[in-house]
Every structure is written in structure tokens, then in C-alpha cells.
Amino acid sequence: QKEYTWEQFIAEVTLNRAGLGGLTYTHLGINSAKDDIVNFGRPDACHIMVIISDGGPQYAASAASAADAAQSLDPPITIFSVCIGVGSLCNSNQMRSMASDPVDDHFLQSPDFNLLDNHVTELMEKICPSPCFERPTDVIFALDHSGSVSPTEFQKVKAWVANIADKVATSTYSVRIGIVTFGSSVTHVISLTQYSGQMLDDLDQVI
């Protein structure tokens, strides 16, 4: 596992930021997150994926199929789905179709990006019920960075994910964090093999 200085870490992840925006190819984000866990996840670990989107995948059936494939692995990937928006601004049915069963335990909806901070505790309780992570756990976030998410809104997502990731990672030394972003293409922002140790407080600077 590669060790990074903070300066090297920022330099590497910010160089690989091309291809964001555009359409919402959620299935590509799910597949890339799944591949990261398949290739680098620890065999003795729980595997968790958290999808965060405004809920409008370009190919809804492909996104649902990709989620099913991830959950059918051995060991399976447990998927939490976070939908941002209400009504036409968030297709909750599509987002719920990606969540693991029971869906209500793996689905969260925030009315808008400004209210994400209100749901930190709620998502933490879903991902990490007490006692938290009694076995090694690999968590990978798949973040929607398509054209429907403005730069300001994505900044709010970054800050929220950094808050969640920091709480998860500092809950135990047995947790590893990964992040992919998806739009018309996918960027591996943080691979499961890129970072070891507790999550840095200012993680949001590199997403």
C-alpha cells in the first residue's frame, strides 16, 4: 500500500480531474466503484458503497443492473443510496432501485444540497450502527458530478462527504475510504489503495 505525503496526495488526485460534468452515467460510477472493491477490497472486510446523486441517471435500467451486480458479489457490496432534491428534482424511485434491501434502511433523501448537513447523523446511523465496524470495512463513495450538479452544489457534497468519511474513518483503524466521481465519465479520486491511516480533517480539498 502506497504511503503519501499530504502534498503528494493533493497533487496526484487533482491531476486526475478531467471528464467531469456532462450526462449522468450513474452505471459507470457504480461499476468503477465496484471494480475498485473487487480489485483492492480486503477479502475479510465488509464492503460498502454510498451513491450520492440528484437522482437522474441517463440509463436507469443500467444503473439498477450495475447495483444488482455489485450486491450479487461474494462477499456482497452493501449499497446506500442518497438522493438530493424533491419531486422532479430527485427521482427517488430510481435511486431506491439501487439501494440494498431492506431499502428503507439503505436510502436517504435530502430536500436540497443546503440541507445535507442535517443528515450527517442519519447516514452515519445507517452506515455504521452501534457498535460501529466490529470488523474491517472498505467504504467507497460514488459522487454525481454531472452537468445537473452545479459547482456550488458539488462543493456542498464534498464538504458533507468529508464530514461523513472523517467520522467513519476515525471510528476505527480498520476502515479504508475510496471515492469516485461520475458524469459522462468516471474519475477515481481516491482509490482504496491510495490512503492508509485515519482520514484527514480537510479531505474535502482533494475531492
Side-chain angles (χ1 to χ4, degrees):
Q1 187 169 8
K2 187 174 181 180
E3 295 284 350
Y4 281 74
T5 67
W6 185 223
E7 291 78 15
Q8 290 169 334
F9 192 58
I10 292 176
E12 179 147 336
V13 297
T14 54
L15 282 175
N16 192 23
R17 303 296 293 148
L20 300 178
L23 303 175
T24 310
Y25 288 166
T26 309
H27 63 290
L28 297 183
I30 294 172
N31 285 334
S32 292
K34 178 192 70 175
D35 289 346
D36 204 32
I37 289 177
V38 168
N39 292 327
F40 306 115
R42 293 166 292 178
D44 62 336
C46 293
H47 297 152
I48 293 175
M49 184 189 307
V50 182
I51 305 168
I52 303 174
S53 175
D54 59 1
Q58 193 72 18
Y59 299 107
S62 295
S65 295
D68 287 342
Q71 294 171 71
S72 298
L73 294 173
D74 184 18
I77 298 175
T78 300
I79 297 182
F80 293 86
S81 179
V82 180
C83 193
I84 304 172
V86 293
S88 61
L89 298 178
C90 174
N91 192 322
S92 59
N93 288 334
Q94 291 180 356
M95 292 296 290
R96 288 174 68 89
S97 73
M98 305 175 212
S100 293
D101 291 325
V103 173
D104 286 344
D105 291 343
H106 297 87
F107 175 77
L108 185 153
Q109 185 167 2
S110 175
D112 62 47
F113 291 88
N114 292 316
L115 297 176
L116 276 173
D117 283 344
N118 296 345
H119 300 280
V120 170
T121 300
E122 183 179 0
L123 184 59
M124 279 297 299
E125 289 175 350
K126 289 180 181 291
I127 294 177
C128 187
S130 180
C132 189
F133 296 143
E134 293 184 299
R135 55 183 289 193
T137 303
D138 294 331
V139 183
I140 189 158
F141 292 87
L143 311 182
D144 183 351
H145 198 185
S146 63
S148 62
V149 180
S150 73
T152 299
E153 290 170 338
F154 192 68
Q155 291 296 321
K156 297 181 186 300
V157 172
K158 283 170 44 176
W160 189 64
V161 169
N163 193 353
I164 294 291
D166 186 65
K167 292 180 184 301
V168 168
T170 55
S171 65
T172 171
Y173 288 102
S174 67
V175 175
R176 295 193 307 175
I177 300 288
I179 297 175
V180 302
T181 57
F182 61 89
S184 291
S185 62
V186 175
T187 299
H188 285 266
V189 181
I190 301 173
S191 170
L192 287 172
T193 61
Q194 276 187 285
Y195 188 78
S196 62
Q198 291 181 302
M199 187 56 56
L200 299 173
D201 292 337
D202 47 357
L203 171 68
D204 60 305
Q205 293 184 21
V206 303
I207 305 174

mmCIF file of all heavy atoms in Angstrom, residues 44-69:
data_model
loop_
_atom_site.group_PDB
_atom_site.id
_atom_site.type_symbol
_atom_site.label_atom_id
_atom_site.label_comp_id
_atom_site.label_asym_id
_atom_site.label_seq_id
_atom_site.Cartn_x
_atom_site.Cartn_y
_atom_site.Cartn_z
ATOM 1 N N ASP A 44 -11.524 -10.084 3.913
ATOM 2 C CA ASP A 44 -12.143 -10.274 5.225
ATOM 3 C C ASP A 44 -12.959 -9.058 5.662
ATOM 4 O O ASP A 44 -13.442 -9.003 6.793
ATOM 5 C CB ASP A 44 -11.070 -10.557 6.275
ATOM 6 C CG ASP A 44 -10.081 -9.403 6.439
ATOM 7 O OD1 ASP A 44 -9.926 -8.617 5.478
ATOM 8 O OD2 ASP A 44 -9.473 -9.286 7.523
ATOM 9 N N ALA A 45 -13.128 -8.081 4.758
ATOM 10 C CA ALA A 45 -13.773 -6.816 5.126
ATOM 11 C C ALA A 45 -15.229 -6.763 4.680
ATOM 12 O O ALA A 45 -15.637 -7.438 3.724
ATOM 13 C CB ALA A 45 -13.019 -5.637 4.514
ATOM 14 N N CYS A 46 -16.032 -5.954 5.382
ATOM 15 C CA CYS A 46 -17.344 -5.562 4.873
ATOM 16 C C CYS A 46 -17.118 -4.559 3.746
ATOM 17 O O CYS A 46 -16.241 -3.703 3.840
ATOM 18 C CB CYS A 46 -18.155 -4.895 5.974
ATOM 19 S SG CYS A 46 -18.629 -5.982 7.322
ATOM 20 N N HIS A 47 -17.909 -4.648 2.705
ATOM 21 C CA HIS A 47 -17.770 -3.757 1.555
ATOM 22 C C HIS A 47 -19.024 -2.903 1.419
ATOM 23 O O HIS A 47 -20.131 -3.423 1.307
ATOM 24 C CB HIS A 47 -17.548 -4.582 0.278
ATOM 25 C CG HIS A 47 -16.284 -5.380 0.305
ATOM 26 N ND1 HIS A 47 -16.123 -6.554 -0.384
ATOM 27 C CD2 HIS A 47 -15.112 -5.166 0.970
ATOM 28 C CE1 HIS A 47 -14.916 -7.034 -0.178
ATOM 29 N NE2 HIS A 47 -14.283 -6.211 0.648
ATOM 30 N N ILE A 48 -18.823 -1.582 1.430
ATOM 31 C CA ILE A 48 -19.940 -0.634 1.405
ATOM 32 C C ILE A 48 -19.733 0.382 0.294
ATOM 33 O O ILE A 48 -18.635 0.915 0.121
ATOM 34 C CB ILE A 48 -20.067 0.098 2.762
ATOM 35 C CG1 ILE A 48 -20.477 -0.890 3.863
ATOM 36 C CG2 ILE A 48 -21.071 1.250 2.679
ATOM 37 C CD1 ILE A 48 -20.511 -0.280 5.250
ATOM 38 N N MET A 49 -20.800 0.663 -0.464
ATOM 39 C CA MET A 49 -20.791 1.720 -1.469
ATOM 40 C C MET A 49 -21.882 2.729 -1.123
ATOM 41 O O MET A 49 -23.006 2.342 -0.798
ATOM 42 C CB MET A 49 -21.056 1.149 -2.872
ATOM 43 C CG MET A 49 -20.971 2.169 -4.005
ATOM 44 S SD MET A 49 -21.550 1.505 -5.615
ATOM 45 C CE MET A 49 -20.580 0.015 -5.794
ATOM 46 N N VAL A 50 -21.548 4.016 -1.192
ATOM 47 C CA VAL A 50 -22.516 5.080 -0.939
ATOM 48 C C VAL A 50 -22.642 5.907 -2.219
ATOM 49 O O VAL A 50 -21.684 6.564 -2.637
ATOM 50 C CB VAL A 50 -22.085 5.984 0.233
ATOM 51 C CG1 VAL A 50 -23.161 7.047 0.498
ATOM 52 C CG2 VAL A 50 -21.821 5.157 1.488
ATOM 53 N N ILE A 51 -23.816 5.861 -2.864
ATOM 54 C CA ILE A 51 -24.069 6.608 -4.092
ATOM 55 C C ILE A 51 -24.779 7.904 -3.729
ATOM 56 O O ILE A 51 -25.814 7.886 -3.055
ATOM 57 C CB ILE A 51 -24.953 5.804 -5.068
ATOM 58 C CG1 ILE A 51 -24.342 4.434 -5.351
ATOM 59 C CG2 ILE A 51 -25.165 6.587 -6.364
ATOM 60 C CD1 ILE A 51 -25.302 3.493 -6.066
ATOM 61 N N ILE A 52 -24.242 9.037 -4.162
ATOM 62 C CA ILE A 52 -24.840 10.340 -3.867
ATOM 63 C C ILE A 52 -25.122 11.039 -5.178
ATOM 64 O O ILE A 52 -24.219 11.299 -5.975
ATOM 65 C CB ILE A 52 -23.913 11.185 -2.984
ATOM 66 C CG1 ILE A 52 -23.587 10.430 -1.686
ATOM 67 C CG2 ILE A 52 -24.553 12.540 -2.668
ATOM 68 C CD1 ILE A 52 -22.576 11.121 -0.808
ATOM 69 N N SER A 53 -26.412 11.358 -5.436
ATOM 70 C CA SER A 53 -26.810 11.908 -6.737
ATOM 71 C C SER A 53 -28.094 12.698 -6.594
ATOM 72 O O SER A 53 -28.822 12.566 -5.600
ATOM 73 C CB SER A 53 -27.006 10.750 -7.733
ATOM 74 O OG SER A 53 -27.487 11.217 -8.970
ATOM 75 N N ASP A 54 -28.387 13.514 -7.617
ATOM 76 C CA ASP A 54 -29.684 14.181 -7.661
ATOM 77 C C ASP A 54 -30.734 13.285 -8.312
ATOM 78 O O ASP A 54 -31.858 13.712 -8.558
ATOM 79 C CB ASP A 54 -29.595 15.536 -8.373
ATOM 80 C CG ASP A 54 -29.102 15.430 -9.805
ATOM 81 O OD1 ASP A 54 -28.848 14.303 -10.265
ATOM 82 O OD2 ASP A 54 -28.974 16.483 -10.460
ATOM 83 N N GLY A 55 -30.374 12.046 -8.600
ATOM 84 C CA GLY A 55 -31.364 11.025 -8.905
ATOM 85 C C GLY A 55 -31.843 10.944 -10.328
ATOM 86 O O GLY A 55 -32.947 10.474 -10.571
ATOM 87 N N GLY A 56 -31.049 11.353 -11.307
ATOM 88 C CA GLY A 56 -31.487 11.282 -12.692
ATOM 89 C C GLY A 56 -30.501 10.561 -13.581
ATOM 90 O O GLY A 56 -29.926 11.176 -14.486
ATOM 91 N N PRO A 57 -30.274 9.234 -13.386
ATOM 92 C CA PRO A 57 -29.321 8.535 -14.240
ATOM 93 C C PRO A 57 -29.757 8.531 -15.693
ATOM 94 O O PRO A 57 -30.947 8.414 -15.989
ATOM 95 C CB PRO A 57 -29.293 7.121 -13.661
ATOM 96 C CG PRO A 57 -30.559 6.975 -12.904
ATOM 97 C CD PRO A 57 -30.886 8.349 -12.394
ATOM 98 N N GLN A 58 -28.800 8.689 -16.590
ATOM 99 C CA GLN A 58 -29.114 8.707 -18.012
ATOM 100 C C GLN A 58 -29.706 7.379 -18.458
ATOM 101 O O GLN A 58 -30.603 7.334 -19.290
ATOM 102 C CB GLN A 58 -27.836 8.999 -18.817
ATOM 103 C CG GLN A 58 -28.073 9.349 -20.275
ATOM 104 C CD GLN A 58 -28.691 10.732 -20.431
ATOM 105 O OE1 GLN A 58 -28.635 11.543 -19.507
ATOM 106 N NE2 GLN A 58 -29.307 10.988 -21.589
ATOM 107 N N TYR A 59 -29.201 6.297 -17.881
ATOM 108 C CA TYR A 59 -29.696 4.958 -18.206
ATOM 109 C C TYR A 59 -30.085 4.280 -16.895
ATOM 110 O O TYR A 59 -29.273 3.604 -16.261
ATOM 111 C CB TYR A 59 -28.624 4.158 -18.944
ATOM 112 C CG TYR A 59 -28.203 4.783 -20.256
ATOM 113 C CD1 TYR A 59 -26.966 5.414 -20.373
ATOM 114 C CD2 TYR A 59 -29.052 4.769 -21.355
ATOM 115 C CE1 TYR A 59 -26.576 6.000 -21.566
ATOM 116 C CE2 TYR A 59 -28.675 5.354 -22.560
ATOM 117 C CZ TYR A 59 -27.442 5.969 -22.655
ATOM 118 O OH TYR A 59 -27.070 6.555 -23.847
ATOM 119 N N ALA A 60 -31.358 4.465 -16.500
ATOM 120 C CA ALA A 60 -31.816 3.999 -15.200
ATOM 121 C C ALA A 60 -31.707 2.484 -15.071
ATOM 122 O O ALA A 60 -31.289 1.966 -14.026
ATOM 123 C CB ALA A 60 -33.246 4.443 -14.961
ATOM 124 N N ALA A 61 -32.084 1.756 -16.137
ATOM 125 C CA ALA A 61 -32.027 0.300 -16.065
ATOM 126 C C ALA A 61 -30.592 -0.187 -15.905
ATOM 127 O O ALA A 61 -30.322 -1.134 -15.160
ATOM 128 C CB ALA A 61 -32.658 -0.314 -17.315
ATOM 129 N N SER A 62 -29.663 0.480 -16.589
ATOM 130 C CA SER A 62 -28.253 0.094 -16.480
ATOM 131 C C SER A 62 -27.727 0.365 -15.078
ATOM 132 O O SER A 62 -26.930 -0.412 -14.528
ATOM 133 C CB SER A 62 -27.404 0.853 -17.505
ATOM 134 O OG SER A 62 -27.769 0.491 -18.820
ATOM 135 N N ALA A 63 -28.165 1.482 -14.474
ATOM 136 C CA ALA A 63 -27.738 1.800 -13.113
ATOM 137 C C ALA A 63 -28.253 0.759 -12.129
ATOM 138 O O ALA A 63 -27.516 0.292 -11.251
ATOM 139 C CB ALA A 63 -28.218 3.191 -12.723
ATOM 140 N N ALA A 64 -29.532 0.376 -12.289
ATOM 141 C CA ALA A 64 -30.105 -0.632 -11.400
ATOM 142 C C ALA A 64 -29.405 -1.984 -11.573
ATOM 143 O O ALA A 64 -29.130 -2.683 -10.595
ATOM 144 C CB ALA A 64 -31.607 -0.773 -11.652
ATOM 145 N N SER A 65 -29.087 -2.331 -12.823
ATOM 146 C CA SER A 65 -28.401 -3.598 -13.096
ATOM 147 C C SER A 65 -26.992 -3.595 -12.518
ATOM 148 O O SER A 65 -26.527 -4.601 -11.971
ATOM 149 C CB SER A 65 -28.340 -3.859 -14.605
ATOM 150 O OG SER A 65 -29.635 -4.049 -15.137
ATOM 151 N N ALA A 66 -26.311 -2.447 -12.640
ATOM 152 C CA ALA A 66 -24.967 -2.338 -12.071
ATOM 153 C C ALA A 66 -25.009 -2.493 -10.558
ATOM 154 O O ALA A 66 -24.141 -3.150 -9.960
ATOM 155 C CB ALA A 66 -24.343 -1.004 -12.457
ATOM 156 N N ALA A 67 -26.013 -1.894 -9.922
ATOM 157 C CA ALA A 67 -26.160 -2.019 -8.477
ATOM 158 C C ALA A 67 -26.452 -3.463 -8.085
ATOM 159 O O ALA A 67 -25.894 -3.988 -7.115
ATOM 160 C CB ALA A 67 -27.261 -1.093 -7.978
ATOM 161 N N ASP A 68 -27.320 -4.133 -8.850
ATOM 162 C CA ASP A 68 -27.634 -5.541 -8.571
ATOM 163 C C ASP A 68 -26.380 -6.405 -8.673
ATOM 164 O O ASP A 68 -26.169 -7.307 -7.857
ATOM 165 C CB ASP A 68 -28.697 -6.055 -9.544
ATOM 166 C CG ASP A 68 -30.084 -5.501 -9.249
ATOM 167 O OD1 ASP A 68 -30.293 -5.012 -8.120
ATOM 168 O OD2 ASP A 68 -30.940 -5.563 -10.149
ATOM 169 N N ALA A 69 -25.559 -6.127 -9.699
ATOM 170 C CA ALA A 69 -24.335 -6.912 -9.890
ATOM 171 C C ALA A 69 -23.389 -6.743 -8.704
ATOM 172 O O ALA A 69 -22.757 -7.700 -8.250
ATOM 173 C CB ALA A 69 -23.646 -6.504 -11.187
#
